[in-house]
Amino acid sequence: MVPVLLSLSVSCLGLWASGLILVLGFLKLLSLLLRRQKLARAMDSFPGPPTHWLFGHSLEIQQTGSLDKVVSWAHQFPYAHPLWYGQFVGFLNIYEPDYAKAVYSRGDPKAPDVYDFLLQWIGKGLLVLHGPKWFQHRKLLTPGFHYDVLKPYVALFADSTRAMLDKWEEKAREDKSFDIFCDVGHMALDTLMKCTFGKADTGLGHRDSSYYQAVGELTLLTQQRIESFQYHNDFIYWLTLHGRRFLRACQVAHDHTDQVIRERKAALQDEKEQEKIQNRRHLDFLDILLGARDEDGIKLSDAELRAEVDTFMFEGHDTTTSGISWFLYCMALYPEHQQRCREEVREVLGDRDSFQWDDLGKMTYLTMCIKESFRIYPPVPQVFRQLSKPVSFVDGRSLPAGSLVSLHIYALHRNSAVWPDPEVFDPLRFSSENVARRHPFAFIPFSAGPRNCIGQQFAMNEMKVVTALCLLRFEFALDPLRLPIPLPQLVLRSRNGIHLHLKPLGPGSGKQLC
């Protein structure tokens, strides 16, 4: 009798569990359908390309390449159009300066439908925070980017660049092209390790290289998740092979950050180490974070500390890697501009053998070329917001609160209504006269408004030092058989690497300057 009753109880429990799962599944589907209806109704006044009944625009984007496809849609639909990742996540995709100003001059939060995918990795740092907490962290971190803090970094940028260029000397002897992207990435990470953690000038160790590989894996998997609607649900994603790869890479990144923070905290307990840190020529980013206090004397918690370090490490090295690599590609593609930049750098340095802080402001043509390469190949091609209140656009159309907005920087920077002959590389677009005549939201490689990139001055300084030293040491030329194919992976990478021929310029051309 007892076994029969147990059997019936188990059967009943199974039926109840199945029924509960079905009800929860139905309620989830209903909430998704209602949200889709709300998002679609909000974008009723914006025509756009046709959508697939299941995949939205994702399938077409993945098959044809999202960047070229969105640029072609931008020509077809001025100002903006709906962009659907699957059937339940829809953005108004904008690429016109007045539209960008209407949204990005405000402080709307990042769109959780995209940036929540990063939480497992970078935690709740400045990139994803909003409201009072974002304001508090922004205020605490701002002193870390004061020019007095940035000044000594010029020498650190040069130290890391020297190691990369020495490696390139060896590769150049083989007289064949090679992919520069990975080497630039290691150099940018080495630089950031010195500026963030005060790392000694010993190059990257095995743990650092593992961290670099983990970050590359995480950016790839995050971009794939954004574009694949079947991965949007956390429960489903963590069960997939991609989800498990993501978690493993997160663990590598977190172990790296945690160990560095532990080592620094332990060092601060030692009086001799404390004295060394106080006597250093500069404070690193971690010193500033550990010492940061708000008006009430409250410091960052351990979780907040890791989140800000992980955020800075991701945003600080991956974006710079992209910017430097695509700039060198542009120099190889346009040798006349490459030579003019090289001559300017030589003129600024004169008979000196190292860069100084004041030199960075004198390299005006190099700066214009960097900005033009940012225009054509923006390091971050797309950013996302969720409206906290309604917005009205210049043409009378509007969006309600809760709507999702995608600012497609790549398409904005190639908008022919804003940039005549947008595919032409023309650094003079960034002469002071032309900049003064242009819409302030026409060029926004570091985003714009109150939530712009806090580290943009750091990034520009590093770009100038690294690219100037590269041009002094080598002549860059294309490999016509291996031209890069732009690929968005949170930052702008290349599907097949960036392969260039490098020709050493010989003694006296800059080796001693590194």
Side-chain angles (χ1 to χ4, degrees), residues 209-484:
S209 295
S210 297
Y211 175 82
Y212 173 77
Q213 291 167 1
V215 169
E217 178 98 329
L218 289 165
T219 56
L220 169 63
L221 291 170
T222 302
Q223 186 69 35
Q224 288 176 342
R225 190 177 181 190
I226 291 168
E227 294 178 356
S228 305
F229 79 96
Q230 67 271 27
Y231 289 157
H232 288 184
N233 180 273
D234 282 344
F235 179 75
I236 293 172
Y237 185 64
W238 302 133
L239 293 176
T240 67
L241 178 63
H242 278 211
R244 292 196 295 274
R245 280 173 57 196
F246 187 93
L247 291 174
R248 283 196 299 271
C250 271
Q251 192 60 53
V252 172
H254 292 163
D255 288 348
H256 180 273
T257 305
D258 289 344
Q259 185 168 341
V260 172
I261 292 174
R262 277 197 306 271
E263 288 170 357
R264 175 55 57 83
K265 283 188 169 181
L268 289 173
Q269 302 302 314
D270 185 294
E271 287 185 17
K272 288 183 180 178
E273 285 297 323
Q274 253 186 327
E275 192 176 331
K276 279 184 191 175
I277 290 169
Q278 289 168 355
N279 291 335
R280 275 206 316 249
R281 287 182 301 132
H282 68 278
L283 289 176
D284 58 47
F285 186 66
L286 188 54
D287 293 329
I288 291 163
L289 285 182
L290 288 168
R293 302 285 188 279
D294 65 13
E295 294 90 342
D296 300 321
I298 299 172
K299 63 179 182 178
L300 296 173
S301 69
D302 287 347
E304 290 172 330
L305 192 63
R306 185 172 83 174
E308 293 302 354
V309 170
D310 279 334
T311 298
F312 185 56
M313 291 297 290
F314 158 57
E315 292 199 276
H317 104 266
D318 230 26
T319 52
T320 307
T321 300
S322 173
I324 293 169
S325 299
W326 285 107
F327 170 83
L328 293 176
Y329 167 70
C330 289
M331 292 295 94
L333 191 58
Y334 304 104
E336 67 278 15
H337 296 298
Q338 178 182 166
Q339 183 56 29
R340 185 166 171 184
C341 286
R342 186 177 291 116
E343 290 169 358
E344 179 186 66
V345 173
R346 286 173 177 162
E347 185 179 334
V348 167
L349 280 168
D351 57 1
R352 287 184 288 111
D353 61 0
S354 62
F355 280 114
Q356 297 171 358
W357 170 262
D358 292 340
D359 294 330
L360 304 186
K362 298 174 184 175
M363 295 186 285
T364 53
Y365 197 77
L366 177 69
T367 302
M368 289 193 293
C369 285
I370 289 172
K371 289 181 177 180
E372 179 67 344
S373 74
F374 278 169
R375 182 188 69 80
I376 299 178
Y377 300 107
V380 180
Q382 191 174 12
V383 291
F384 307 88
R385 294 283 192 273
Q386 182 171 36
L387 300 184
S388 56
K389 56 185 178 181
V391 64
S392 295
F393 295 111
V394 65
D395 58 2
R397 293 183 287 186
S398 62
L399 282 178
S403 300
L404 302 176
V405 176
S406 152
L407 171 59
H408 209 284
I409 297 173
Y410 187 92
L412 169 66
H413 286 182
R414 291 166 183 255
N415 186 336
S416 56
V418 181
W419 304 94
D421 301 317
E423 302 296 329
V424 174
F425 187 88
D426 180 10
L428 293 179
R429 298 179 199 270
F430 293 95
S431 67
S432 54
E433 300 82 13
N434 286 329
V435 169
R437 289 196 293 264
R438 195 161 48 240
H439 195 294
F441 281 75
F443 176 70
I444 45 177
F446 297 103
S447 192
R451 293 199 64 132
N452 66 353
C453 174
I454 193 174
Q456 58 184 288
Q457 191 60 52
F458 176 96
M460 278 301 295
N461 292 346
E462 183 177 3
M463 284 282 300
K464 290 178 187 180
V465 173
V466 175
T467 56
L469 293 175
C470 287
L471 294 175
L472 286 174
R473 189 93 163 254
F474 295 99
E475 185 179 289
F476 295 85
L478 295 178
D479 182 344
L481 301 177
R482 307 177 84 174
L483 297 177

